[in-house]
Amino acid sequence: MAALDLRAELDSLLLQLLGDLEELEGKRAVLNARVEEGWLSLAKARYAMGTKSVGPLQYASHMEPQVCLQASEAQEGLQKFKVVRSGVHAPEDVGPREGALRRRKGPTKTPVPQSSDAPRDPLNWFGILVPHSLRQAQASFRDGLQLAADIASLQNRIDWGRSQLQGLQEKLKQLEPGAA
Amino acid sequence: MEAVLLFMRMSRNAARRTARARRGVGPTGSRTAEAGLRRLLVLSGELCPAAGMAGRGKLIAVIGDEDTVTGFLLGGIGELNKNRHPNFLVVEKDTTINEIEDTFRQFLNRDDIGIILINQYIAEMVRHALDAHQQSIPAVLEIPSKEHPYDAAKDSILRRARGMFTAEDLR
């Protein structure tokens, strides 16, 4: 009976693994397509701005990540990743700060905007007015990052499933040495 | 859970105060609405730690050619300041295999990196280091490059998965 239960568990684990592998293949194809779109857009931006205008020479000397990963452990040894975008701006206060009646005593002192803690958009490294193709490239690679996190989670699940499968196969061999 | 309930209660109260302020009810309506909104923003920062300075998540590192690294840095993964090492490496024609391997091992040893993206043709150069890495974090993801399309047969993860099944196991 224990062997039967083990076999049933092995079968369900195997089916889950095959499903994960199929999902992984699908996501990989989408990631590769996004990255290729990104390269094409970068090439168009380079054509518009100049060969040396889009490359490592434009990287900022100080960078802060806008995208972070949150890793959570679903089961023992099974890590799951989630992409989190940082740099949420506080909403601007629109409208007059004082009451309805303004006292005209010379130029009013406008409040100095506080330096934002949000990281700077990497698009600004390449200039103020960047071509649309560079924005498209950024969008493609951002989509790619989300997919990368999903693929990494799937890879971890496949590795975890593989180790579980090997453990169950060992147990089955001990229970049924003749069948091995 | 309690923080979420508090957040919902505060947002409801802030919405009520804002509506009262718009109607001009009470002399302190607009001030209390503003104070409520400020408290709400502080609490939302605590609930979403990645949006604030404290409790930042893990990073994504990238080892690749110029276009791949530029693209992913545009996506916002880059980190570079005076004290920390960069989380990216641009591999050029004169980059040696030792440099690539050293950088890869540094990324593996850092505890703030969750995923390492690496072009597959570069991964081939340091395949022995990739195959030796068995931990779940950081996860290593092989991606194609412009000159070298992705080949599933060379991927470390898929090769291990292919080795799972033998003829005996499937009997």
Side-chain angles (χ1 to χ4, degrees):
Chain A
M1 279 303 289
L4 272 174
D5 292 337
L6 264 177
R7 283 188 183 277
E9 204 177 331
L10 257 174
D11 289 343
S12 66
L13 191 58
L14 194 61
L15 283 171
Q16 188 190 329
L17 263 174
L18 290 172
D20 287 345
L21 281 168
E22 193 178 351
E23 195 182 342
L24 177 70
E25 195 188 355
K27 292 218 168 178
R28 271 222 170 267
V30 180
L31 171 67
N32 293 346
R34 286 285 173 277
V35 169
E36 282 165 17
E37 278 171 21
W39 289 328
L40 186 59
S41 301
L42 275 179
K44 286 180 186 171
R46 203 170 273 132
Y47 180 75
M49 296 167 70
T51 316
K52 299 287 179 189
S53 301
V54 181
L57 292 172
Q58 280 73 41
Y59 294 174
S61 55
H62 180 93
M63 297 180 197
E64 274 186 36
Q66 288 189 322
V67 170
C68 291
L69 276 178
Q70 275 186 356
S72 56
E73 196 163 326
Q75 295 177 43
E76 193 184 318
L78 182 58
Q79 294 282 345
K80 206 172 171 184
F81 296 105
K82 189 182 159 193
V83 167
V84 176
R85 207 160 282 285
S86 59
V88 174
H89 294 274
E92 294 175 11
D93 284 333
V94 178
R97 287 180 179 275
E98 301 167 353
L101 184 64
R102 275 186 294 169
R103 296 179 184 174
R104 299 178 191 278
K105 281 188 179 176
T108 54
K109 284 182 188 173
T110 51
V112 177
Q114 291 175 3
S115 59
S116 169
D117 288 336
R120 207 171 144 225
D121 189 353
L123 267 181
N124 295 337
W125 304 342
F126 303 95
I128 303 295
L129 289 174
V130 294
H132 184 61
S133 47
L134 201 61
R135 291 182 193 277
Q136 282 176 328
Q138 186 182 48
S140 297
F141 281 102
R142 276 182 174 168
D143 289 344
L145 287 170
Q146 187 64 56
L147 285 162
D150 295 341
I151 289 172
S153 303
L154 270 171
Q155 281 183 181
N156 281 342
R157 208 158 79 188
I158 288 168
D159 269 343
W160 179 84
R162 189 173 64 96
S163 60
Q164 293 290 106
L165 193 77
Q166 283 171 351
L168 286 174
Q169 282 171 339
E170 287 297 316
K171 277 185 198 172
L172 192 64
K173 277 180 189 170
Q174 285 168 9
L175 280 174
E176 293 181 350
Chain B
M1 187 63 190
E2 286 176 5
V4 171
L5 289 171
L6 177 62
F7 179 85
M8 286 167 63
R9 201 166 38 228
M10 285 181 70
S11 54
R12 196 180 55 221
N13 293 342
R16 280 190 194 142
R17 286 194 205 104
T18 308
R20 265 191 261 134
R22 280 205 203 105
R23 291 198 307 264
V25 175
T28 59
S30 59
R31 286 206 291 275
T32 54
E34 193 179 328
L37 278 171
R38 283 189 200 283
R39 283 202 296 273
L40 201 61
L41 286 168
V42 166
L43 185 58
S44 67
E46 288 169 7
L47 283 174
C48 308
M53 294 298 287
R56 197 180 64 177
K58 292 193 181 284
L59 300 173
I60 301 175
V62 58
I63 301 175
D65 55 21
E66 187 180 308
D67 274 5
T68 304
V69 174
T70 303
F72 281 112
L73 289 183
L74 259 181
I77 65 168
E79 188 195 59
L80 179 63
N81 58 26
K82 285 180 243 181
N83 303 322
R84 303 280 295 274
H85 294 291
N87 65 333
F88 56 91
L89 173 69
V90 179
V91 174
E92 289 161 346
K93 288 175 196 170
D94 51 359
T95 309
T96 62
I97 294 179
N98 283 337
E99 282 178 53
I100 298 170
E101 196 174 334
D102 286 342
T103 307
F104 182 71
R105 289 193 196 281
Q106 278 172 25
F107 288 165
L108 287 180
N109 291 332
R110 281 173 65 166
D111 56 359
D112 60 346
I113 289 179
I115 294 177
I116 300 174
L117 299 169
I118 182 168
N119 283 136
Q120 195 170 50
Y121 82 97
I122 300 172
E124 279 295 302
M125 296 179 198
V126 292
R127 182 60 67 192
H128 54 283
L130 253 88
D131 287 342
H133 174 65
Q134 301 281 340
Q135 288 133 19
S136 55
I137 279 190
V140 180
L141 221 70
E142 295 178 30
I143 52 179
S145 63
K146 284 196 302 188
E147 286 87 25
H148 305 89
Y150 177 73
D151 185 359
K154 294 180 184 172
D155 192 312
S156 290
I157 304 292
L158 293 181
R159 280 195 313 184
R160 274 184 230 159
R162 211 167 48 199
M164 267 191 307
F165 308 110
T166 62
E168 275 188 21
D169 297 330
L170 295 174
R171 232 191 290 154

